[in-house]
Amino acid sequence: AQAGSHLVRLTHQGQQDPLRNQTALVDKSRSTVTYYITSQSNHTAVVLYDSRNGYVCYKPMEQHACYLRRMDTWDLQTLQTSLNTSEQRADQLLRQDNQTKYYQEFLGILAGEEVDPKSLGEAVQTLCEQTSIFWVRRGGGPGKQRLIYLCIDICFPSNICVSICFYYLPE
């Protein structure tokens, strides 16, 4: 961690959820929060929120690709909560509120929409160095012909958890 950043380590365990290891690296100087998530099946993913450049970037460690979308208002609000949360406060938030809110979000991978890394900020370039970067967009969910590519579960200090699933959009 660099000056201006601090490490917040959260381990989230829900009654219906398997144990999931999650670490958040908050870098206030770059206005980024990077989540490192390892599922019970030992799959690791990185989710980067970069408010300076307005991107959310997903990188499954088992794949040689990154997935990128523009931030929306909800992302910015969630990011502000994380940027303003210290390690001690994050632990207190998880202990005080056992009522975790779960959401599911489907992101469609846009076929043939590879991104030029030079047009992105430093944080995304560093995370996705020497990998392909593809645009994704929110969808209503996978149809019968669409294959779910992968799912990532992420929990924020505000006790909101989001399951993000990727699938290919037919084009």
Side-chain angles (χ1 to χ4, degrees):
Q2 302 167 354
S5 63
H6 66 274
L7 192 62
V8 179
R9 187 175 306 277
L10 302 174
T11 302
H12 179 80
Q13 183 176 15
Q15 293 177 341
Q16 299 171 340
D17 258 358
L19 181 64
R20 178 184 322 113
N21 225 343
Q22 177 174 299
T23 303
L25 177 63
V26 178
D27 189 340
K28 291 183 181 184
S29 65
R30 291 185 355 178
S31 298
T32 62
V33 178
T34 308
Y35 291 93
Y36 299 87
I37 304 146
T38 304
S39 68
Q40 188 179 29
S41 57
N42 214 23
H43 292 273
T44 302
V46 179
V47 180
L48 169 71
Y49 286 81
D50 180 357
S51 68
R52 182 174 293 160
N53 296 291
Y55 296 119
V56 180
C57 186
Y58 307 91
K59 182 172 187 349
M61 299 312 273
E62 295 82 17
Q63 298 176 17
H64 200 66
C66 282
Y67 305 101
L68 188 71
R69 70 174 174 82
R70 296 215 178 269
M71 289 184 114
D72 59 19
T73 307
W74 188 85
D75 297 318
L76 288 168
Q77 290 171 348
T78 305
L79 183 68
Q80 277 309 119
T81 302
S82 298
L83 285 170
N84 295 332
T85 302
S86 68
E87 186 172 356
Q88 182 179 8
R89 189 162 166 252
D91 290 341
Q92 289 171 353
L93 276 170
L94 285 175
R95 279 193 217 110
Q96 287 173 358
D97 185 7
N98 288 332
Q99 298 300 314
T100 303
K101 297 178 186 103
Y102 292 92
Y103 298 97
Q104 193 164 42
E105 181 176 297
F106 291 94
L107 297 175
I109 301 166
L110 301 176
E113 293 282 332
E114 196 165 343
V115 182
D116 179 15
K118 292 179 182 130
S119 65
L120 308 173
E122 177 191 353
V124 174
Q125 286 180 18
T126 303
L127 176 64
C128 300
E129 191 174 29
Q130 297 180 355
T131 63
S132 299
I133 304 171
F134 298 96
W135 283 110
V136 293
R137 73 170 184 232
R138 282 198 173 97
K144 291 181 181 177
Q145 303 302 318
R146 296 178 184 161
L147 173 67
I148 291 182
Y149 197 66
L150 82 122
C151 289
I152 299 170
D153 293 326
I154 184 169
C155 294
F156 301 100
S158 57
N159 245 13
I160 295 175
C161 295
V162 179
S163 179
I164 302 165
C165 297
F166 295 91
Y167 60 90
Y168 282 109
L169 290 175
E171 294 194 7

